[in-house]
Amino acid sequence: MKVGIVGAGMVGSAAGYALALRGGASEVVFVDYKPALALAQAEDVAHAVPFAHPCKISAGEYDALAGAVVVILAAGVPQKPGESRLSLLARNAGVFADVVGRVRSAAPDAILLVASNPVDIMTEVALRASGLPAGRVIGSGTILDTARFRSLLGEHLGIAPQSVHAYVLGEHGDSEVLAWSSARVGTESIGRFAAQIGAAITEDIRARIDEGVRRAAYRIIDGKGATWYGIGAGLARIVQAIRDDQRTVLSCSIVTPEVQGVADVALSLPRLIGRAGVLATLDPSLSPEEATALRRSAEILKDSVAGLG
């Protein structure tokens, strides 16, 4: 399966690298407004292919995206000193309108996978610009936050994070909601499992894990300037779910008709993902506090998009 990546910076290149190592695509094409960067990333990733799975890696202009089943959108502009968040959003929206138009001309049947931040808002911008059904414009959303949540829970419980079934919902950002009430290990609630193995989840533990998930990006950015490995792997995971029609449940962002009384908002919920994109959305069981927090998250995102006009 052919995958295009528009934006060959750290996130885009990490996604291409993860796809090559995981065998998630038969062909990956990098496109960037800096052609030399796209070519350099393609050559570097291609040199990893002999150690992994067969995959053709190349770089080109937008017309090289022809035939792509999925196109990852990792393009965007950095925030200028003193620039407001809304001003940055407006500039990124302009970039996306141009990028999406070019992608649609080259690969009209491709599913769009949005990685650029703020990812929920950029997902809605991409949907508006594309004219595609909502299920074919997917934001990476909280797939990484969910992985962080499961990783920290697994660390506390002394089990593999793959055995933890827990989700982060809402915005990929400060208002995100850790769904503790529905977290499970096997057939047991996270609290019952923790009690059975003598690793009770106290309020202090909950607060530490919440902080660990919610502030992870800030710590990583403070240390090295940006995050890219985790989200690169998350994007590759979504692509594989599409490629193999896995019909797996992942926490991703699409424009959703209604969330806790807020209409037409892009945010993350558990989504069933297969070859056609998002096939269905699960309605998670939430505590009253979590439901209120999810509504607030939806309102924040709705207000941000309204500010764009």
Side-chain angles (χ1 to χ4, degrees):
M1 185 181 82
K2 183 176 180 178
V3 176
I5 300 176
V6 179
M10 298 310 299
V11 170
S13 61
Y17 182 59
L19 282 166
L21 291 191
R22 290 174 62 98
S26 58
E27 183 177 358
V28 174
V29 179
F30 288 100
V31 175
D32 196 276
Y33 80 101
K34 297 179 179 178
L37 176 61
L39 185 60
Q41 299 286 30
E43 186 173 1
D44 197 11
V45 174
H47 295 162
V49 168
F51 304 110
H53 300 270
C55 183
K56 179 183 176 183
I57 311 290
S58 64
E61 300 296 330
Y62 280 91
D63 58 4
L65 298 172
V69 175
V70 178
V71 175
I72 296 171
L73 303 179
V77 293
Q79 191 165 5
K80 295 177 179 178
E83 183 179 31
S84 72
R85 182 169 177 266
L86 193 58
S87 177
L88 174 64
L89 282 175
R91 288 200 300 131
N92 259 331
V95 170
F96 255 53
D98 179 60
V99 167
V100 170
R102 293 178 180 224
V103 170
R104 291 279 288 141
S105 293
D109 297 324
I111 292 171
L112 304 183
L113 179 51
V114 180
S116 301
N117 277 321
V119 68
D120 302 293
I121 296 169
M122 289 300 103
T123 298
E124 182 158 351
V125 170
L127 178 69
R128 292 182 183 182
S130 70
L132 288 167
R136 296 183 66 82
V137 181
I138 307 170
S140 56
T142 60
I143 192 167
L144 179 55
D145 309 274
T146 290
R148 291 167 175 161
F149 190 20
R150 294 177 180 184
S151 177
L152 290 173
L153 281 170
E155 180 181 328
H156 172 69
L157 298 170
I159 61 174
Q162 291 86 347
S163 294
V164 179
H165 306 288
Y167 292 91
V168 177
L169 312 174
E171 178 194 17
H172 172 57
D174 294 341
S175 71
E176 64 190 20
V177 180
L178 278 65
W180 286 93
S181 64
S182 60
R184 294 284 186 275
V185 176
T187 61
E188 298 298 306
S189 70
I190 204 77
R192 281 179 54 84
F193 179 85
Q196 289 178 40
I197 64 169
I201 298 178
T202 63
E203 287 303 313
D204 285 345
I205 294 296
R206 282 176 64 119
R208 179 175 63 80
I209 290 175
D210 186 282
E211 174 77 5
V213 174
R214 203 175 297 278
R215 303 294 298 178
Y218 294 102
R219 291 193 304 275
I220 294 169
I221 290 169
D222 284 345
K224 69 175 195 175
T227 68
W228 55 81
Y229 292 125
I231 189 56
L235 291 165
R237 179 68 187 90
I238 297 169
V239 169
Q240 284 191 289
I242 294 169
R243 183 198 66 179
D244 297 335
D245 196 23
Q246 290 180 350
R247 296 171 178 259
T248 192
V249 176
L250 299 171
S251 57
C252 298
S253 181
I254 66 168
V255 174
T256 308
E258 187 273 331
V259 180
Q260 297 297 322
V262 180
D264 298 321
V265 61
L267 49 60
S268 286
L269 292 170
R271 316 283 186 181
L272 183 66
I273 298 181
R275 184 72 176 193
V278 171
L279 308 175
T281 295
L282 280 67
D283 184 15
S285 298
L286 301 172
S287 69
E289 295 78 14
E290 291 166 350
T292 298
L294 183 58
R295 177 182 175 84
R296 179 58 183 152
S297 186
E299 290 171 340
I300 288 170
L301 289 166
K302 188 74 173 179
D303 290 345
S304 296
V305 172
L308 289 175

